[in-house]
Amino acid sequence: VLAAVILLVLVFGGFLGERPTVPSPSVTIAQPTRFGGILHFTVASAEPRAPLADFRAVLEVENDTTAELAPLAHNATYGSLGFRDSDQDGRLSQGDELTVIIRDAGYHELLIIHRQTPVATDSWTEVPIVALGSPVVGPSGVTLEVQWIVPGGTPLVDFGATLTLDGTAVGDIDPLADGASNGNLSFSEQFPDARLDEGDRFASDSLVTGEYELILRWRGSSAGQAAWTI
């Protein structure tokens, strides 16, 4: 009898001690909208609706975690991440919104995680946009300065530049580096920090008559250009 009692205690005690498994909801997020340097991600569906306290959001840039909201909560912000509970019901539901402030170039991934299970993800690559100033023609050649770059602080090693004359390359630097030159093209940093910044300068020593174009690349994608005629 004693042995039977012990067996029952072990069996039922084991069942009682087990934590019930909560299935993760099905969550989808709509294509983001961009306003300036901020991306807005809206929850398109979330069934069944689960408490925000069971969710967290993670932003990874170049496979490194740069921001995390844990748990989700109305008007919560941390680093580049923000969250708004649109109906303020304390549950993840259609219309809730995550925002991402773009601060870096490169591969981004946004994850919504329910307890330990990712339930929604989105990924994209931020290519920097570089504005070059008007070419300045002087007795020894042409110079162009970087006016602005978004996002800023992007490493030079990810950039390359090609100078063409009437469609033919007459200079190519890849990757960019302070003091680098090739053919008729050279590059220098205003304040050497191995990053492309406002005030950094491209120069061409060619004054041959023709149509010139400077093409700036970031990891092979177009990042900026300038054209002039001599």
Side-chain angles (χ1 to χ4, degrees):
V1 174
L2 180 59
V5 170
I6 293 173
L7 179 61
L8 287 172
V9 169
L10 289 175
V11 171
F12 285 101
F15 281 119
L16 291 173
E18 289 181 1
R19 185 177 180 181
T21 301
V22 178
S24 293
S26 175
V27 179
T28 60
I29 49 181
Q31 287 293 316
T33 56
R34 183 186 295 265
F35 297 96
I38 302 177
L39 285 176
H40 297 256
F41 296 83
T42 302
V43 175
S45 65
E47 295 294 340
R49 305 201 320 178
L52 291 177
D54 290 342
F55 292 91
R56 59 191 172 98
V58 176
L59 177 65
E60 295 184 353
V61 179
E62 300 286 275
N63 298 314
D64 288 329
T65 298
T66 60
E68 180 174 352
L69 291 177
L72 293 184
H74 180 54
N75 285 340
T77 60
Y78 183 81
S80 300
L81 270 178
F83 177 78
R84 182 176 64 87
D85 182 7
S86 62
D87 53 11
Q88 298 185 42
D89 66 347
R91 296 177 179 274
L92 190 69
S93 55
Q94 182 180 12
D96 291 351
E97 183 183 74
L98 281 159
T99 56
V100 175
I101 300 173
I102 302 302
R103 294 191 169 123
D104 302 283
Y107 177 76
H108 289 59
E109 186 171 18
L110 176 65
L111 302 95
I112 299 177
I113 300 170
H114 178 256
R115 297 193 172 180
Q116 300 302 317
T117 304
V119 292
T121 65
D122 201 349
S123 60
W124 69 99
T125 298
E126 287 291 330
V127 177
I129 300 173
V130 182
L132 298 171
S134 298
V136 178
V137 180
S140 59
V142 179
T143 59
L144 304 91
E145 290 190 355
V146 175
Q147 288 190 320
W148 49 261
I149 173 173
V150 178
T154 306
L156 284 177
V157 70
D158 290 330
F159 288 96
T162 300
L163 176 67
T164 65
L165 170 59
D166 293 332
T168 300
V170 293
D172 185 82
I173 302 173
D174 194 353
L176 291 184
D178 186 37
S181 64
N182 174 266
N184 296 116
L185 181 65
S186 61
F187 173 79
S188 60
E189 292 187 82
Q190 182 181 28
F191 303 108
D193 61 357
R195 297 180 181 276
L196 192 64
D197 301 304
E198 177 183 344
D200 290 351
R201 176 176 293 185
F202 294 90
S204 167
D205 61 4
S206 174
L207 290 173
V208 175
T209 300
E211 301 285 337
Y212 289 82
E213 185 176 20
L214 177 63
I215 303 166
L216 192 59
R217 304 178 302 277
W218 178 87
R219 298 183 183 177
S221 297
S222 176
Q225 66 88 34
W228 64 95
T229 301
I230 295 178

